Amino acid sequence: MGCSANSANIYPLPKAYLHYNQLHSRLTEISGLDPALAQLHVLGFSGTEELPILALQIGKAQAQRNILIIGQHHGDEVLGVELSVALAAELMRKHESDKLWKQIMDEYRFFIVPTINPEGWKRVCDGEYQFKRKNNRDTNKNGRLDIRADGVDLNRNYPVFWADQVPVPPGHANYKGERPASETEVQAILKLAEKHLFELAIFYHSSSTGAFSEKIFLPNRIIGDEEQERRLDELFIFAQGYAQRVKKDYQKGYYQVGEGNTSRVGNARNFFFHTYQTDAFLVELGGINSAGISVVHPNANMKDKIMKKNLAALRQVLYQRAKSK
Ligand SMILES: [Zn+2]
């Protein structure tokens, strides 16, 4: 298998990946392309190391509808950070020259948050632990960071359905925290959500087990609520428009929208959909190679392909949406 090395996970991450230490200057550079169109915000700070949670707001004065993009909740899921930064750059470069992006930008203002988990991501970037998922809260309370065990799963800490998740011990990958929105990282997003009503929110993740790879997941549905069923049916069609435009990385076929109901836990898509009626869903970037391995840290070439095809799909579905509603 001469080409197997080309389809494996690479760690430490290659130079082609954005490093935590570069994020601020990269976002400053992007917003600097047109300061009238883009502003860099600090939404808040991480709970243990007080690292800033950065967001780019990109939009024309006339744009009345808001889209939220969060590139990362889990530190090891780096493809979404890359994608959200690539999207910001694309918007800045093409909002006039490209007919579709222009129409999208006439309607929509974007809030792009590359990561809400700078603590986890930084450790992954530093080469310390490839699968650092949670933040760095000292959840076992021994006074130091145990990089594999400590931390809260930020995508289980949102205050909707938080109580519905069956409790797991603090060392578990899905530990939800001591109380809803206990984490400052999540509080930063709650504050943003209070301030701006989002019509659409997309959360990028990667499935390191491969169980969810290259799928889109909708919010949990409360069976029997007709209005909600109608909204979710509509959202399914929109998400399918995205999925069907993105070819899988290594296998035949395209991304798919997960069928059936998803978990009733305190995750971001449940929070936005059930609190603010935001059309919210999660996209799992990163495919499964021919050896059956989930590739969430692909080489630079595959990373670029993933960026390109996801940006192309976003451009199409957002254009349709901008025209139709
Ligand atoms: Zn994730």
Side-chain angles (χ1 to χ4, degrees):
M1 298 291 284
C3 66
S4 62
N6 290 327
S7 62
N9 283 293
I10 300 182
Y11 196 78
L13 296 170
K15 284 259 184 292
Y17 281 84
L18 200 66
H19 187 288
Y20 168 79
N21 294 335
Q22 301 166 316
L23 182 64
H24 187 274
S25 61
R26 181 80 183 103
L27 296 183
T28 304
E29 179 191 319
I30 291 171
S31 60
L33 293 171
D34 187 346
L37 195 69
Q39 295 89 42
L40 180 58
H41 298 291
V42 179
L43 302 182
F45 294 87
S46 68
T48 301
E49 297 172 0
E50 296 182 13
L51 307 179
I53 294 161
L54 303 174
L56 273 185
Q57 177 182 336
I58 302 179
K60 303 174 187 173
Q62 72 192 76
Q64 296 296 314
R65 300 156 72 183
N66 295 322
I67 295 180
L68 174 64
I69 305 283
I70 299 185
Q72 182 187 61
H73 281 72
H74 299 132
D76 55 336
E77 300 174 15
V78 299
L79 287 170
V81 180
E82 296 284 330
L83 182 62
S84 55
V85 174
L87 171 64
E90 172 115 342
L91 293 176
M92 296 302 286
R93 279 199 307 263
K94 299 191 178 165
H95 66 95
E96 286 297 338
S97 60
D98 179 86
K99 182 182 155 240
L100 273 62
W101 283 125
K102 184 178 187 315
Q103 174 120 16
I104 294 164
M105 295 287 285
D106 284 345
E107 286 287 319
Y108 287 109
R109 180 192 298 126
F110 288 78
F111 291 78
I112 298 175
V113 187
T115 179
I116 75 155
N117 188 2
E119 291 178 359
W121 181 44
K122 184 174 186 299
R123 300 297 173 132
V124 173
C125 293
D126 286 345
E128 219 170 306
Y129 178 30
Q130 183 171 10
F131 296 110
K132 175 64 182 161
R133 170 183 173 91
K134 303 185 286 182
N135 69 4
N136 288 352
R137 181 187 278 276
D138 179 19
T139 41
N140 63 12
K141 299 180 182 170
N142 66 356
R144 59 181 167 83
L145 174 66
D146 295 293
I147 199 156
R148 283 163 191 265
D150 269 338
V152 172
D153 180 347
L154 297 176
N155 207 32
R156 296 292 183 280
N157 189 242
Y158 285 84
V160 163
F161 302 149
W162 184 89
D164 291 290
Q165 187 193 335
V166 178
V168 291
H172 193 284
N174 298 126
Y175 177 58
K176 65 181 178 178
E178 285 187 349
R179 56 180 191 283
S182 58
E183 304 311 290
T184 57
E185 295 90 338
V186 168
Q187 291 164 20
I189 299 305
L190 302 195
K191 228 167 49 185
L192 184 71
E194 255 175 46
K195 204 165 158 192
H196 307 281
L197 185 62
F198 289 101
E199 178 190 303
L200 175 67
I202 304 178
F203 309 103
Y204 286 97
H205 285 255
S206 294
S207 175
S208 51
T209 65
F212 311 108
S213 300
E214 301 181 310
K215 286 201 172 69
I216 293 180
F217 292 97
L218 304 186
N220 175 267
R221 64 175 70 199
I222 295 167
I223 308 295
D225 181 331
E226 278 178 27
E227 169 62 10
Q228 207 178 88
E229 298 273 357
R230 186 193 61 73
R231 285 177 51 220
L232 278 163
D233 289 345
E234 263 187 44
L235 183 54
F236 186 93
I237 291 166
F238 179 73
Q240 204 162 36
Y242 184 138
Q244 288 174 345
R245 285 182 167 86
V246 187
K247 276 190 175 156
K248 290 185 174 179
D249 296 353
Y250 307 101
Q251 298 174 331
K252 284 200 164 61
Y254 293 80
Y255 282 25
Q256 290 167 311
V257 183
E259 306 260 2
N261 210 349
T262 64
S263 314
R264 188 170 297 194
V265 297
N267 62 27
R269 65 183 188 274
N270 283 338
F271 171 75
F272 275 91
F273 183 80
H274 291 282
T275 310
Y276 293 107
Q277 283 70 55
T278 300
D279 280 346
F281 58 81
L282 175 158
V283 182
E284 299 273 11
L285 302 172
I288 296 174
N289 69 17
S290 56
I293 306 289
S294 171
V295 184
V296 295
H297 301 145
N299 65 25
N301 182 41
M302 179 55 80
K303 173 173 81 74
D304 289 346
K305 284 185 183 167
I306 294 169
M307 300 306 113
K308 279 206 185 88
K309 64 192 178 185
N310 277 277
L311 287 179
L314 270 177
R315 175 172 169 269
Q316 291 292 340
V317 296
L318 293 180
Y319 174 66
Q320 295 299 333
R321 191 179 174 104
K323 280 198 310 184
S324 68
K325 280 201 183 178

